[in-house]
Amino acid sequence: MLIIASANGAVGIEAAMQVLKNGGSAIDAVEAGIRLVEADPAERSVGYNGYPNILGQLELDASIMDGGKLNSGAVAIMRGFPYAISVARQVMDRKLPHVMLAGEGAERFAREIGAEQWASMLSDEVKAIWRKRLIDNSALLDVGDMDEDSPLLDAVTMATDPERVAGTVNFIAIDGKGDICSGVSTSGWAWKYPGRVGDSPIIGAGNYADNRYGACACTGMGEMAIRACTAYGLVSYLRAGLPIQVAGQKAMRDLRDLGGDFIGGMNLIALDRAGNHVGMTTRAGSTYIYQHPDMDQHGEIERRLVEIPARWAGEARQ
Ligand code: GLY
């Protein structure tokens, strides 16, 4: 048994390990761990109180993958339901002939299954931060007078700083039967264009698990993981017989090789079916966490650094 998670999973990893120790499945553990992050008001990139889109609306993305059956479920741009990972799990478990539901359809499904719905998804503090950031960029956007037709194209590239406002949580678990599950949940980029979907709900991009080889999950600038199919890419390197460290480095190099004007920070965590694990990052000092059943508390490890020079709107970033 083993759980690894992004460092912001610390509020949930002990509870997730307890699920495994009680005989629960990897899927149960991943869901339990991520729910605690989604409910944490201090976490600004996941669930309740995440930073909203440019219109001040919180839109959540999440996915879960069962590495035994290669089943998965996902939701995208869902509003009003804090436990996006649980709704994603239900998309998988209810045997819909679908893998992902988005927007109003995801919300309709969440209501239909009785998922917990909260009237307010943002604290006054986060609303004030959102408003201030728009006012600081008021040359680009009339904050006092936004409506359906307000032009957002320029504002969204300037008001969003991907180095500061991207987040997301990853959990990967191996249970007592050797089944692997990976889960990802996020509020996506802060101040994103309404309707923007990141890598987190896209199986193969931000999340992938296969009992035969291992699993990978990503945080950071999801557009890059979508373009490079990062999570599936890493697992396919494991499938080719490469050790986990080499598979991780190759997946990060695939990200580094991407062209284009919008390149930001990226991170991944991964494990192989034997329980060897790795964390990779473009940001020095970034960590991830892990827990075995004989540990009362999780451990924390520095991720391996792979430099990817950031570019934003064509400009190199410091
Ligand atoms: N990696 C999370 C996102 O880009 O939305």
Side-chain angles (χ1 to χ4, degrees):
M1 288 186 271
L2 168 69
I3 300 176
I4 63 171
S6 49
N8 58 351
V11 298
I13 194 168
E14 273 91 21
M17 179 48 76
Q18 198 55 51
V19 170
L20 293 186
K21 285 192 193 177
N22 293 343
S25 69
I27 299 171
D28 294 335
V30 164
E31 182 183 6
I34 291 180
R35 280 177 67 93
L36 288 167
V37 185
E38 290 174 331
D40 179 4
E43 171 53 60
R44 298 289 164 79
S45 69
V46 180
Y48 170 73
N49 222 25
Y51 286 137
N53 69 17
I54 198 160
L55 296 178
Q57 303 153 336
L58 184 67
E59 295 178 327
L60 301 182
D61 298 343
S63 68
I64 193 161
M65 182 153 184
D66 169 357
K69 298 195 176 106
L70 304 183
N71 268 347
S72 54
V75 290
I77 48 174
M78 183 176 69
R79 296 193 215 161
F81 296 87
Y83 297 114
I85 194 69
S86 294
V87 183
R89 180 178 179 174
Q90 290 300 313
V91 173
M92 176 171 77
D93 284 357
R94 298 256 175 164
K95 310 218 181 316
L96 289 173
H98 308 308
V99 166
M100 187 195 298
L101 297 174
E104 288 178 8
E107 293 152 21
R108 182 189 186 106
F109 172 77
R111 270 194 303 280
E112 198 170 336
I113 63 168
E116 206 170 310
Q117 186 169 13
W118 291 3
S120 172
M121 291 288 287
L122 297 177
S123 65
D124 289 345
E125 186 189 356
V126 164
K127 286 181 195 163
I129 294 169
W130 164 75
R131 181 159 287 275
K132 178 176 182 321
R133 185 145 181 96
L134 292 197
I135 289 167
D136 289 349
N137 288 274
S138 57
L140 299 160
L141 194 66
D142 183 352
V143 182
D145 193 24
M146 283 198 291
D147 62 21
E148 286 297 302
D149 298 321
S150 297
L152 302 177
L153 281 176
D154 288 340
V156 86
T157 56
M158 299 306 292
T160 301
D161 177 345
E163 299 299 318
R164 278 200 326 118
V165 295
T168 302
V169 67
N170 302 150
F171 266 72
I172 304 176
I174 308 181
D175 63 25
K177 293 181 182 163
D179 283 326
I180 302 176
C181 174
S182 53
V184 182
S185 183
T186 190
S187 49
W189 282 24
W191 295 267
K192 62 192 173 185
Y193 198 98
R196 176 265 186 186
V197 176
D199 59 324
S200 305
I202 299 179
I203 296 301
N207 187 5
Y208 200 78
D210 184 330
N211 276 7
R212 296 170 296 177
Y213 314 113
C216 174
C218 303
T219 59
M221 187 170 171
E223 282 72 5
M224 294 169 66
I226 294 171
R227 292 168 62 209
C229 299
T230 300
Y232 181 75
L234 188 147
V235 174
S236 72
Y237 289 129
L238 293 175
R239 180 180 182 166
L242 297 176
I244 187 90
Q245 295 281 351
V246 179
Q249 273 177 338
K250 285 181 81 68
M252 290 297 281
R253 286 192 190 127
D254 290 341
L255 289 162
R256 193 182 61 192
D257 291 345
L258 290 173
D261 283 346
F262 296 98
I263 299 293
M266 277 299 297
N267 319 279
L268 60 80
I269 58 170
L271 52 70
D272 65 22
R273 66 185 177 144
N276 302 301
H277 51 93
V278 71
M280 300 265 166
T281 185
T282 59
R283 190 162 50 88
S286 174
T287 61
Y288 72 104
I289 58 176
Y290 69 100
Q291 192 166 1
H292 294 280
D294 55 353
M295 298 165 70
D296 290 335
Q297 291 186 320
H298 63 265
E300 187 161 8
I301 310 182
E302 192 158 327
R303 296 176 189 242
R304 186 173 288 204
L305 181 66
V306 177
E307 290 192 10
I308 301 181
R311 293 188 295 281
W312 191 245
E315 304 286 326
R317 295 177 68 90
Q318 296 304 310

